[in-house]
Each structure stands twice: as C-alpha cells, then as structure tokens.
Amino acid sequence: MKNTATLRDYQHVRLLAIRSLFEIVEQSSEGTVIVDRDARIVWMNERYARRYGLDEANQAIGQDVEKVIPSSLLRQVVETGEPILLDMLDTPGGPLVVMRLPVHDDDGEVIGAIGFALFDQLKNLAPLVTRFMQIQEELASTRSLLQARQAKYSFAHFIGNSAASLEVKRRARRSAASESPVLLLGETGTGKELLAHAIHSASPRAHRPFVSVNCAAIPESLLEAEFFGTAPGAFTGADRKGRPGKLQIAQGGTLFLDEIGDMPLALQSKLLRVLQEKEFEAVGSNEVRRSDIRLIAATSLDLEQAIQVGTFRADLYYRLNVLPIQLPPLRERLDDLPALCETILDEIPGHHELDAEAVALLASHAWPGNVRELRNVLERTALLSDEPRLGAAALRSAIGRLVPLPQQRPATSTPQVAVGNFHAAREAFERELIRQALAEHSGNVQQAAARLGLGRSTLYKKMVALGLSS
Ligand SMILES: Nc1ncnc2c1ncn2[C@@H]1O[C@H](COP(=O)(O)OP(=O)(O)OP(=O)(O)O)[C@@H](O)[C@H]1O
Ligand SMILES: [Mg+2]
C-alpha cells in the first residue's frame, strides 16, 4: 500500500529510478571511468585500471583518456554531448560491451562524461548476441548467394575479331546501356550465355544479382513456382513458409531466361504480363508484386517458326525482339579460330600449341557445336597429348566425325566480284544470290528462302543486314 502511494509521485519515482539505474549499472560494471570536459581522466575504478596494465587507478588521473584507453570514444561524447548507449570496445582482456554518457551540470552544460564497461562475458547478453549471430549468419548467406549470382563473364571473355564478332560485341555493348529486353539468338555453343553475363556486367545493374533460369531444364510443373515463388501455405511440407522465385531474387538485377523457346505457353502469358505491367503474383497468392528486372532471353530455336507452329506467342516474341542479337556460327567466322584457339589453349595447363596442319584442319571443319565443340576438342587433344605441340592427327581423332564446310550452292550465273576484302566479297556474293532468288520468285521471301535452303527468318535477317529489305 505504502509503495503504491509512493510510486504515484512521478518525480520521486524518477529519482529512485535514476539511483537504482546508476547503482545497478555501476555494480554490474567491469569498469567505470569518468573524464572532464577536456577528456582527461578524473576517476577510474581499480579493476579497470588493472585491465589496462596500471598498478593502481591513481596513475590514470589527469591523463588524456586515450593514453590509458586507446580506443575510447569518451572525447567524442564530451564534444558532441551525445551518449553512446551500446558499443563494443576492444580491450587487452577481450571485448567489452560499453555504455558512454555525457555528464551535465545544473545548467545543462556538458562538464564531462562517464563510461561503463558493462559486461565482459557476453553470456549476460545472450538474447542480444543470439539475435546478432542470427543476423550475421543471414548476412553471410545472403552475401554468398549474391556472390553466386554475380555474372561470371565480361566482354573481354568474348573472343573474336572477325567483322561478325565485332558487330555482335558492338550491339551487345549498346544493349548493356539500355533497359529493354535483349534477345540472343544463335546455334548451340555460339556464346549466348557468355554474352548474357557480359551484358549484365557492363550494365548499370552490374552490382545487382544476375539470375539464370533454364526454361528447358526445369519440369513444366515446377517452372511457375521457380519463376514467381510460392506464397506461405501454398504447399504443405518444406515449402510451407513460401519460397522466393527467381523473379524476386533478381529484383533490381538481370533475369536471364535461357532456352526461352522451350517455355510453356501458359508461362509465356505470365511473362508477358511481367514485361508489360511489371507485376506478378507468387503461386498461391493474390498479392500483386512489382517487378524490377532487366530481361535477357536466349534461344537456339527459330522463334518465328515456333510461332507458326503455335508453340510460341507472337506478342511475347515482339516484346522480346526489341534488341535481337544474332550470334554467328563459328563456320561463318573462321577468322576467329586462331584467337579462340590461343585463348582456350592458354586456359589449359601444359602450354600447348597447334602446328600448321592442325590449324588447317580446324579451318576445314564446320563446327556444328561451335565454340563449345572447339573447346572440347582442344581440351581432349591436350589431355591425351604428351607433347606441347598438337598435330592434325590428334585433333582429327578428337573431332570424331569431320563435318565439311557447306559448299555455296552454285547460282545460275556466278556473280562476278573483285578480289579484295573477304567479307566485302562475301557480302556482295550473298546480296547478288539473294537478289536473284527473290527475282525468280517475284519477291516472295518464303519461296526465295525455300529455294536457297534457308529459313524464312534467316533470309529476312540477311536481307535487312544487306540492305535488301525494301
Ligand atoms: N566468342 C567466344 N569467346 C570465347 N569463348 C566462347 C565464345 N563463345 C562461346 N564460348 C565458350 O563456348 C562455350 C559455350 O558457350 P555458351 O554456353 O555461352 O553457348 P550457348 O550459345 O549458350 O550454347 P547453348 O545454346 O548450347 O546453351 C562456353 O565455354 C563459352 O565460354
Ligand atoms: Mg546456353
């Protein structure tokens, strides 16, 4: 009864609390130090003095605080008047949790500061420390996740100085600066994935995640969850808590959709919505989330043909086809062979080199597997060879079935071109060949393509590139 009555008097309670607080803090303190307004020590308890190697506390009196406690922040407290309520201080006997308070006079002027070393055994802080450790762990795992989500390649990894490769790199560099979707087209092993990494690395999103999804490698039934994530409770078991999808993981960064030609139609519509409305929902949730990703898509399929047979949505195609980059097959840029071989051999232990016959052999194969195949062949040959010099015979057996380079189909009258730059000559040749085929079929691209043995879209792209499209 008496206590309750006393507790109603706020001023009184306040004084009691101040006194209790001070006593508790002081009693549980491993060390206490008081400084004046010049941060010189005016008092220190014996225990604290001994921790800092003094025989007795008296030796500290009058010294600048940093002389005794090198990493002390009491000067900062005196100067700013701001307390530092919780901090860790490294001391000779191990880390301490410390609290630093300014001391005011009756007029509110800062006349000094007091520092308490609260705990030397962190077990007193168990809940705080547990939480801290948890956060540390989360931070570490997020960091390693992010690390795994960094792009692996830059443009420097894309080897090739042929006109075709330079054009690819030029377009890719330009696309890096843009936010529009990029569509990477090309046969298997031509470097689509490599280029996707490089574009991300050169983009303003380079320090954000790069997340890949291989649409062909994930079963259709799991793809949607993989993509959009699942809401808590959407599934039983391990996924009960909900799981973020690749779209969320890629927030702020780049989402690389590999083999997009293999994406199921239902998911294509949802992807279209992400691109158009920049929003999506997790599986089993009605909550609409905003998406902020840059999309890079790749495929080795002919998407225009996929549209015709109904496995790819035309509207998605147009949305993706803003910045298409066609990666030329290796057989169309054999000029790149020496540089590619040199780079690949440099990466293989053993300082291997190719002899002249080997170089000639490489230039006679059509490389259906493109740079990936070239890499495999060189690796295999180097592995089996005791000599640093790799000869044609060894390469020949590593290649297996040699595919001859396609012969240009002879036109009714072979176009005359002046001897000179190879690419200019080839362009002139192609332009003439296509012009003739178009003329034979009254400008019908479909029929001309069939006549030339090309896909309609391939021919159309060539026409655009050669300035024949009008
Ligand atoms: N221009 C290049 N310079 C150096 N290495 C290259 C180049 N192009 C491709 N490579 C290498 O060839 C291999 C295949 O490349 P990548 O995986 O990017 O091909 P891809 O087009 O994605 O093939 P797929 O369609 O089969 O997935 C990789 O080892 C890559 O590093
Ligand atoms: Mg790939």
Side-chain angles (χ1 to χ4, degrees):
M1 223 32 221
K2 177 171 170 276
N3 279 348
T4 329
T6 329
L7 281 176
R8 278 206 189 108
D9 176 352
Y10 173 73
Q11 281 309 326
H12 184 61
V13 173
R14 189 168 176 270
L15 285 175
L16 288 177
I18 289 171
R19 206 168 69 201
S20 309
L21 181 66
F22 190 89
E23 274 165 11
I24 291 168
V25 168
E26 215 218 340
Q27 273 160 25
S28 57
S29 158
E30 291 297 314
T32 306
V33 57
I34 301 174
V35 299
D36 63 16
R37 74 175 86 219
D38 298 317
R40 273 196 295 260
I41 295 176
V42 294
W43 188 82
M44 190 176 194
N45 69 357
E46 293 294 337
R47 201 159 165 194
Y48 211 26
R50 277 198 298 279
R51 180 181 280 265
Y52 282 98
L54 303 178
D55 294 328
E56 51 181 44
N58 265 338
Q59 295 169 343
I61 311 290
Q63 307 251 35
D64 281 340
V65 65
E66 298 86 356
K67 267 235 158 106
V68 180
I69 307 174
S71 46
S72 170
L73 290 183
L74 284 173
R75 185 178 301 279
Q76 175 188 322
V77 173
V78 179
E79 281 168 3
T80 62
E82 297 292 335
I84 300 172
L85 290 181
L86 264 188
D87 191 13
M88 304 280 287
L89 178 73
D90 269 326
T91 76
L96 292 177
V97 176
V98 297
M99 172 156 89
R100 309 180 183 96
L101 306 171
V103 179
H104 298 104
D105 66 10
D106 288 342
D107 300 329
E109 286 289 314
V110 177
I111 54 166
I114 182 163
F116 298 109
L118 292 180
F119 317 98
D120 70 341
Q121 287 193 343
L122 294 180
K123 76 174 191 300
N124 292 325
L125 282 177
L128 196 67
V129 170
T130 312
R131 182 88 189 97
F132 180 76
M133 303 292 275
Q134 248 174 20
I135 292 172
Q136 287 286 88
E137 257 168 44
E138 276 167 29
L139 185 67
S141 84
T142 309
R143 277 208 181 118
S144 75
L145 258 178
L146 256 175
Q147 218 129 52
R149 303 200 181 284
Q150 298 277 299
K152 291 203 270 289
Y153 306 105
S154 66
F155 284 121
H157 293 98
F158 191 92
I159 308 300
N161 284 312
S162 64
S165 289
L166 293 180
E167 173 63 9
V168 163
K169 275 198 264 193
R170 192 185 64 81
R171 291 181 69 106
R173 281 215 173 81
R174 232 182 30 198
S175 78
S178 152
E179 281 282 290
S180 303
V182 181
L183 183 58
L184 302 173
L185 301 164
E187 293 176 10
T188 179
T190 47
K192 297 183 294 295
E193 182 168 354
L194 171 71
L195 208 60
H197 281 260
I199 292 171
H200 172 76
S201 300
S203 79
R205 294 171 178 255
H207 58 290
R208 311 303 304 273
F210 176 88
V211 177
S212 309
V213 184
N214 186 326
C215 304
I218 300 167
E220 184 169 342
S221 55
L222 299 182
L223 203 50
E224 192 181 340
E226 180 76 13
F227 217 77
F228 298 106
T230 53
F235 294 108
T236 49
D239 267 352
R240 220 181 41 221
K241 284 199 299 196
R243 215 158 43 97
K246 293 284 162 92
L247 212 55
Q248 281 144 284
I249 300 172
Q251 281 304 301
T254 302
L255 182 66
F256 174 47
L257 293 182
D258 207 357
E259 315 289 357
I260 194 162
D262 294 281
M263 183 178 266
L265 276 167
L267 200 59
Q268 289 177 27
S269 336
K270 295 191 175 167
L271 176 61
L272 188 63
R273 175 171 167 218
V274 173
L275 288 175
Q276 282 175 340
E277 326 285 339
K278 303 215 176 307
E279 55 187 41
F280 66 98
E281 285 146 33
V283 176
S285 157
N286 296 322
E287 188 195 331
V288 176
R289 295 163 187 258
R290 299 289 303 159
S291 96
D292 168 26
I293 49 131
R294 201 278 169 96
L295 189 75
I296 302 181
T299 184
S300 49
L301 296 182
D302 181 341
L303 289 182
E304 287 181 19
Q305 199 195 335
I307 294 171
Q308 261 157 31
V309 298
T311 53
F312 205 82
R313 290 184 61 123
D315 45 8
L316 178 59
Y317 174 68
Y318 294 122
R319 195 77 203 179
L320 291 174
N321 201 29
V322 187
L323 292 169
I325 301 179
Q326 181 81 45
L327 284 94
L330 186 52
R331 64 179 173 280
E332 285 178 16
R333 50 182 183 106
L334 292 173
D335 299 2
D336 288 341
L337 267 176
L340 279 167
C341 291
E342 194 186 329
T343 310
I344 295 169
L345 289 175
D346 274 349
E347 290 169 21
I348 304 172
H351 306 288
H352 294 284
E353 278 177 359
L354 299 170
D355 68 21
E357 265 180 75
V359 174
L361 174 76
L362 294 184
S364 70
H365 180 47
W367 300 107
N370 294 295
V371 186
R372 181 182 294 112
E373 184 188 359
L374 176 66
R375 182 181 287 276
N376 288 344
V377 164
L378 292 177
E379 281 177 2
R380 215 171 318 141
T381 314
L383 199 72
L384 295 174
S385 164
D386 302 324
E387 304 284 315
R389 222 167 167 69
L390 306 178
L395 281 174
R396 181 68 194 74
S397 67
I399 289 175
R401 199 175 65 86
L402 196 71
V403 182
L405 287 170
Q407 291 295 310
Q408 222 98 27
R409 188 194 284 248
T412 23
S413 65
T414 312
Q416 292 297 305
V417 289
V419 172
N421 178 280
F422 178 80
H423 298 286
R426 196 174 69 193
E427 262 192 33
F429 178 86
E430 287 187 354
R431 189 175 291 115
E432 188 53 35
L433 197 66
I434 292 171
R435 216 199 309 269
Q436 281 185 19
L438 284 168
E440 271 174 38
H441 295 94
S442 323
N444 184 313
V445 179
Q446 183 84 45
Q447 289 169 9
R451 166 77 178 80
L452 292 167
L454 295 173
R456 197 192 67 86
S457 67
T458 312
L459 176 57
Y460 192 73
K461 274 182 206 126
K462 277 196 186 296
M463 287 166 59
V464 172
L466 296 168
L468 290 172
S469 55
S470 46

